[in-house]
Amino acid sequence: MARIALVSGGVSGIGAATAKLLKASGYTVITNFFGNDNEAEAFTHETAIPIRKWNVADFDETQNGIAAVCAEFGPIDTLINNAGITRDSMLHKMSYEQWRSVIDVDLGGCFNMCRAVIEGMRERRFGRIVNISSVNGLSGQFGQTNYSAAKAGIIGFTKALALEGAARGITVNAIAPGYTNTGMVSAVPAKVLEGIVAGVPVGRLATPQEIARGVLFLVDEGSAFITGATLSINGGKYMA
Ligand code: CAA
């Protein structure tokens, strides 16, 4: 039977590319979204991948959303925590809301989603979790104390959960993408982005598909010995 994969933030950018690649590779894929209804409908129209709406930053909504997905499609074996937002600002201008919202969605969402699937994975003695971190969680980034903290937090979370899942057939890994051609990156002021791309040895942004390839590799059953790892896919921008 096909493995069941849930991708958060899965109707655009890296999430959408991942959902499509998993589907093309034989997974039953469900994507979660919270933002733009029109974009989500267009995605499901194009791909026939079912979409379910909830806010990953909300604990109860996430538990209920995942329970409904499991009741409809079956237990989730494969979880991709991709949902994330940016609220860039230098710290001396950052509001509490800018700090809190990024921590709640990017890091809190990871907890809320994993918490909802982990007991089932432990019982079934199989699971694949991939958490999307960022190069900026490794290197830090000017204007992103909130985002860099959340994305670095994801790496610690990944390692701790990898230890807890190892004896139960559950692998937990992170991917740290570099600057990727997505809506999130195109919101960076053009002049700033030009400077960032100039610092990427490969000389360009990643495509979302290039990040999705890493996810597919990590969730494969043959990747059972890879756990607690952080896979950098950043065109050489930062070599940790
Ligand atoms: N390093 C050093 N100095 C910098 C700098 C940098 N990277 N960026 C800006 N500065 C300097 C500016 O030159 C300026 O100096 P002066 O005062 O001497 O002129 C000063 O800092 C203030 O800069 P701004 O005028 O740009 O300040 P601002 O408050 O208007 O904006 C900012 C600051 C919001 C951080 C803006 O620079 C910005 O949006 N930067 C992009 C941040 C970024 O890379 N975000 C990534 C989003 S995509 C993503 O996160 C995906 C992923 O995972 C990779």
Side-chain angles (χ1 to χ4, degrees):
M1 232 177 56
R3 292 267 179 216
I4 298 176
L6 175 64
V7 182
S8 73
V11 301
S12 64
I14 291 171
T18 299
K20 288 182 199 171
L21 184 59
L22 290 175
K23 185 179 180 204
S25 307
Y27 289 76
T28 298
V29 181
I30 302 99
T31 67
N32 148 269
F33 78 104
F34 185 59
N36 184 326
D37 290 322
N38 292 337
E39 186 177 46
E41 270 160 37
F43 171 83
T44 201
H45 185 72
E46 176 204 334
T47 61
I49 294 173
I51 51 174
R52 294 294 179 270
K53 185 172 187 175
W54 71 81
N55 179 3
V56 298
D58 185 300
F59 182 77
D60 291 335
E61 262 188 51
T62 303
Q63 308 315 297
N64 295 336
I66 289 191
V69 167
C70 292
E72 190 176 349
F73 299 95
I76 294 160
D77 314 291
T78 305
L79 174 66
I80 317 304
N81 286 309
N82 167 72
I85 59 169
T86 52
R87 295 288 181 270
D88 294 353
S89 166
M90 293 166 74
L91 186 71
H92 66 275
K93 299 183 199 168
M94 188 178 286
S95 67
Y96 181 69
E97 168 55 23
Q98 285 173 307
W99 166 259
R100 193 74 249 173
S101 57
V102 171
I103 299 295
D104 285 351
V105 174
D106 297 22
L107 183 57
C110 193
F111 167 79
N112 293 338
M113 295 284 284
C114 287
R115 184 66 187 83
V117 302
I118 198 72
E119 287 176 81
M121 288 180 176
R122 289 176 68 84
E123 276 160 24
R124 294 187 302 280
R125 296 189 164 267
F126 181 85
R128 292 284 182 271
I129 298 175
V130 176
N131 299 320
I132 304 299
S133 175
S134 165
V135 63
N136 293 345
L138 294 169
S139 66
Q141 169 61 17
F142 190 104
Q144 287 198 310
T145 49
N146 49 4
Y147 186 83
S148 297
K151 293 297 186 176
I154 282 178
I155 292 173
F157 177 95
T158 297
K159 291 177 179 174
L161 189 57
L163 290 173
E164 295 181 10
R168 300 281 181 132
I170 303 166
T171 68
V172 189
N173 292 290
I175 292 185
Y179 283 71
T180 305
N181 193 4
T182 63
M184 180 183 274
V185 167
S186 60
V188 173
K191 262 247 147 331
V192 177
L193 191 56
E194 223 173 85
I196 288 168
V197 173
V200 179
V202 170
R204 61 171 175 82
L205 299 176
T207 66
Q209 292 74 17
E210 286 173 315
I211 311 302
R213 283 170 58 82
V215 178
L216 182 65
F217 168 68
L218 290 172
V219 300
D220 192 272
E221 291 194 22
S223 296
F225 209 63
I226 305 174
T227 196
T230 299
L231 176 62
S232 280
I233 308 179
N234 65 27
K237 180 171 165 55
Y238 183 78
M239 303 184 193

